[in-house]
């Protein structure tokens, strides 16, 4: 063998050996990568399996099930619903009877939702049926041919305490909405302060602080406000305090001195309107085009808006005022005060002269009967037979904290006051 031939073979051998090393390296690397991938796949499978174990709704595991939602229609009974979902009549009767054992099927309401769980195969058999009674209660029926079992279930309600301060830019309603608070807050605040805050005179910059409890199911879904425990409403530089307190087995709201926030009269006879004309001794009448006294407050509101009595009393007049007042109602509250409601579109059903009426009770609806350019309520108050400005009327508090509960109330209200003023 010549030196040249030997050199060529050595070079070839080195090339082959180097190639083998590279190939082995790739093989080893690929082998390692395969092992890692397999380990990750196993881990993901375990995680997926664990998630599937938790993947349930209304106590029903969703593996191999198809879900459909529906709404109860008018005049639709449970048997008809189940038949429409594919059950034979005898099976639907069996399931309806099982449900009726735990929940009276006569109370199933149009508009309520239900969920149907079907087998995810070509047969598509109804396996489970859930009727949603409310946000926290439902009926689950497990179906197996003519064998059906039902259970009335309740979801755990979680109560969360909320503490917030909100500044008003336009209206109470918009302030609550912009703060992402439940809409009931606006309604409850308007009721709590109905006797002390003029909600028609709210200005930009007014604000309120509030401590309330909210109910949740599954820790995230709010089902409403349980109660407002305490609040401070600041309007026109005046702070009005309200604390919910059990006074001799009756819950009500009281101020710092233990006086009830419930006054003898409501601040206004209707909600969500605007004042279009105020009390005046000389006002240009929009139709008669001459100056005359206007001994009331005009609240502009859509036709049909409910009008309520500002206080307990007796209906002493009901009829049509030919002098321009149109349909009207007059209520005598006591020997001192009388209120009048004019331009009504119509009266509350059953309302008649001599009838006793409670504070906040419906008496009629906003209209434009008589001399009126548009729908509004002309509201008037008389004190000892003389007209007074309803917006300036001061009504005494009723039902203060009793003497036996006063010390306990002061201690309780002070603790809430401290919490609210901490904001």
């Amino acid at each position: 063998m010549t030196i040249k031939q030997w050199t060529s073979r050595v070079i070839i051998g080195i090339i082959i050996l180097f190639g083998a090393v590279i190939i082995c390296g790739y093989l080893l690397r690929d082998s390692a990568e395969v092992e890692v991938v397999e380990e990750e796949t196993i881990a993901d499978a375990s995680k997926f399996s664990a998630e599937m174990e938790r993947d349930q709704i209304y106590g029903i595991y969703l593996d191999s099930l198809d879900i459909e939602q529906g709404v109860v229609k008018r005049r639709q009974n449970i048997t008809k619903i189940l038949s429409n979902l594919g059950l034979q009549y005898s099976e639907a009767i069996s399931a309806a009877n099982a449900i009726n054992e735990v929940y009276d099927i006569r109370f199933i309401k149009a508009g309520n939702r239900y969920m149907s769980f079907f087998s995810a195969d070509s047969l598509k058999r109804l396996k489970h049926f859930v009727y949603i009674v409310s946000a926290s209660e439902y009926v689950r029926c497990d179906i197996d041919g003519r064998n059906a079992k039902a259970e009335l279930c309740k979801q755990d309600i979680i109560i969360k305490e909320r503490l917030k301060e909100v500044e008003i830019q336009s209206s109470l309603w918009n302030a609550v909405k912009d703060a992402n608070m439940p809409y009931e807050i606006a309604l409850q605040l308007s009721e709590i302060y109905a006797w002390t805050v003029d909600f028609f005179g709210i200005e930009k910059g007014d604000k309120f602080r509030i401590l309330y409890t909210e109910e949740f199911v599954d820790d995230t879904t709010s089902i409403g406000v349980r109660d407002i425990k305490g609040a401070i409403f600041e309007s026109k530089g005046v702070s009005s305090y309200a604390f919910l307190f059990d006074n001799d087995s009756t819950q009500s709201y009281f101020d710092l001195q233990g006086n009830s926030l419930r006054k003898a009269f409501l601040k206004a006879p209707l909600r969500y309107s605007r004042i279009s004309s105020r009390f005046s001794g000389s006002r240009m009448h929009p139709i008669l085009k001459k100056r005359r006294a206007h001994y009331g407050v005009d609240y502009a509101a859509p036709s049909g808006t409910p009008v309520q009595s500002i206080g307990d009393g007796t209906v002493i007049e009901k009829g049509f005022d030919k002098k321009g007042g149109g349909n009207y109602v007059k209520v005598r509250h006591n020997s001192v005060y009388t209120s009048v409601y004019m331009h009504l579109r119509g009266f509350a059903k059953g309302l008649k002269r001599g009838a006793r009426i409670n504070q906040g009770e419906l008496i009629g609806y906003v209209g434009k009967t008589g001399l009126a350019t548009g729908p509004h309520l002309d509201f008037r108050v008389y004190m000892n037979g003389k007209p007074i400005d309803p917006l300036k009327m001061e009504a005494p508090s009723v039902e203060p904290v009793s003497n036996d509960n006063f010390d306990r109330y002061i201690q309780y209200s002070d603790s809430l006051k401290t919490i609210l003023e901490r904001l």
Side-chain angles (χ1 to χ4, degrees):
M1 178 185 298
T2 66
I3 295 175
K4 186 176 181 179
Q5 290 176 329
W6 180 85
T7 303
S8 298
R9 289 184 180 183
V10 169
I11 293 172
I12 293 171
I14 291 172
I15 293 171
I16 292 173
L17 179 62
F18 183 73
V21 169
I22 292 174
I23 292 170
C24 288
Y26 274 109
L27 289 174
L28 289 171
R29 188 190 69 175
D30 289 344
S31 176
E33 286 182 345
V34 169
E35 288 178 5
V36 171
V37 170
E38 287 178 348
E39 287 175 359
E40 288 178 350
T41 304
I42 293 170
D44 287 344
S46 299
K47 181 180 177 183
F48 180 75
S49 177
E51 287 178 348
M52 286 301 294
E53 287 294 316
R54 294 192 301 269
D55 193 9
Q56 57 175 299
I57 183 171
Y58 300 116
I60 300 169
Y61 290 101
L62 305 182
D63 188 24
S64 302
L65 289 175
D66 290 333
I67 308 171
E68 294 181 7
Q69 295 193 54
V71 176
V72 179
K73 300 177 182 178
R74 290 185 61 189
R75 299 177 184 175
Q76 198 175 38
N77 58 45
I78 191 66
T79 305
K80 187 173 182 179
I81 293 172
L82 293 167
S83 296
N84 291 342
L85 293 173
L87 292 187
Q88 296 179 7
Y89 184 73
S90 59
E91 295 173 334
I93 290 293
S94 173
N97 288 337
I99 293 172
N100 196 50
E101 289 179 5
V102 298
Y103 181 81
D104 194 331
I105 59 177
R106 295 175 300 174
F107 296 143
I108 287 178
K109 298 178 182 179
N112 276 22
R113 294 187 303 115
Y114 61 83
M115 298 186 73
S116 311
F117 299 78
F118 297 92
S119 59
D121 53 31
S122 58
L123 294 177
K124 195 182 178 181
R125 297 281 297 168
L126 182 65
K127 306 296 291 182
H128 309 278
F129 176 82
V130 173
Y131 170 71
I132 302 167
V133 180
S134 66
S136 61
E137 193 173 33
Y138 61 93
V139 178
R140 187 186 71 227
C141 184
D142 302 323
I143 301 166
D144 182 13
R146 296 183 184 179
N147 296 318
K149 295 180 181 180
E151 182 181 1
L152 180 63
C153 306
K154 292 186 177 182
Q155 300 192 78
D156 291 335
I157 296 177
I158 300 170
I159 300 173
K160 297 183 180 181
E161 197 169 77
R162 304 290 201 191
L163 179 63
K164 288 195 176 183
E165 180 180 46
V166 178
E167 185 170 312
I168 298 171
Q169 299 299 319
S170 57
S171 68
L172 176 62
W173 178 270
N174 288 335
V176 168
K177 180 182 177 183
D178 293 343
N180 294 318
M181 300 167 71
Y183 73 90
E184 300 105 306
I185 292 292
L187 297 176
Q188 290 190 31
L189 281 176
S190 66
E191 291 174 358
I192 292 168
Y193 287 107
W195 301 272
T196 52
V197 174
D198 181 8
F199 285 99
F200 302 111
I202 285 181
E203 299 174 348
K204 183 178 180 179
D206 290 348
K207 60 184 178 181
F208 62 88
R209 302 174 186 180
I210 185 172
L211 177 66
Y212 66 97
T213 52
E214 191 172 359
E215 296 181 336
F216 291 80
V217 292
D218 64 38
D219 198 41
T220 56
T221 305
S222 174
I223 60 174
V225 177
R226 170 168 285 195
D227 55 39
I228 294 175
K229 300 177 71 173
I232 306 174
F233 206 106
E234 299 179 15
S235 180
K236 297 181 176 66
V238 177
S239 296
S240 300
Y241 291 78
F243 305 112
L244 182 62
F245 183 71
D246 192 341
N247 184 43
D248 295 332
S249 301
T250 301
Q251 280 199 329
S252 189
Y253 288 91
F254 302 90
D255 63 15
L256 287 173
Q257 290 74 39
N259 297 313
S260 173
L261 265 67
R262 182 181 183 273
K263 304 292 185 179
F265 301 119
L266 295 175
K267 202 73 173 176
L270 73 173
R271 294 179 179 175
Y272 308 118
S273 64
R274 63 180 177 85
I275 294 174
S276 56
S277 183
R278 295 176 180 269
F279 186 94
S280 173
S282 178
R283 183 195 70 158
M284 179 62 72
H285 195 282
I287 295 179
L288 300 178
K289 301 301 180 183
K290 63 181 181 180
R291 290 197 167 274
R292 59 188 294 184
H294 182 248
Y295 294 137
V297 175
D298 287 350
Y299 291 96
S303 182
T305 299
V307 176
Q308 55 191 353
S309 174
I310 61 168
D312 298 346
T314 302
V315 177
I316 57 174
E317 291 183 27
K318 171 198 168 189
F320 187 89
D321 178 23
K322 297 180 181 179
K323 295 181 180 180
N327 292 327
Y328 78 101
V329 173
K330 182 180 286 188
V331 177
R332 182 176 63 225
H333 302 287
N334 50 38
S335 60
V336 178
Y337 292 100
T338 300
S339 60
V340 183
Y341 313 80
M342 305 170 72
H343 300 307
L344 300 174
R345 188 180 77 178
F347 306 102
K349 186 177 181 180
L351 187 75
K352 59 183 180 180
R353 185 176 178 180
R356 285 291 301 170
I357 196 164
N358 297 320
Q359 184 182 71
E361 188 173 339
L362 179 70
I363 58 174
Y365 304 90
V366 170
K368 56 179 181 177
T369 56
L371 295 177
T373 56
H376 72 280
L377 173 71
D378 185 342
F379 171 59
R380 306 189 177 197
V381 176
Y382 294 82
M383 181 179 179
N384 295 321
K386 295 182 179 181
I388 63 172
D389 188 347
L391 298 179
K392 296 180 180 179
M393 179 176 61
E394 292 290 337
S397 299
V398 294
E399 302 172 0
V401 173
S402 65
N403 292 332
D404 293 341
N405 295 324
F406 189 76
D407 290 341
R408 182 167 60 90
Y409 172 74
I410 293 299
Q411 184 179 1
Y412 173 73
S413 61
D414 281 348
S415 65
L416 290 182
K417 180 173 177 286
T418 300
I419 293 172
L420 289 166
E421 292 181 342
R422 206 178 284 161
L423 282 175

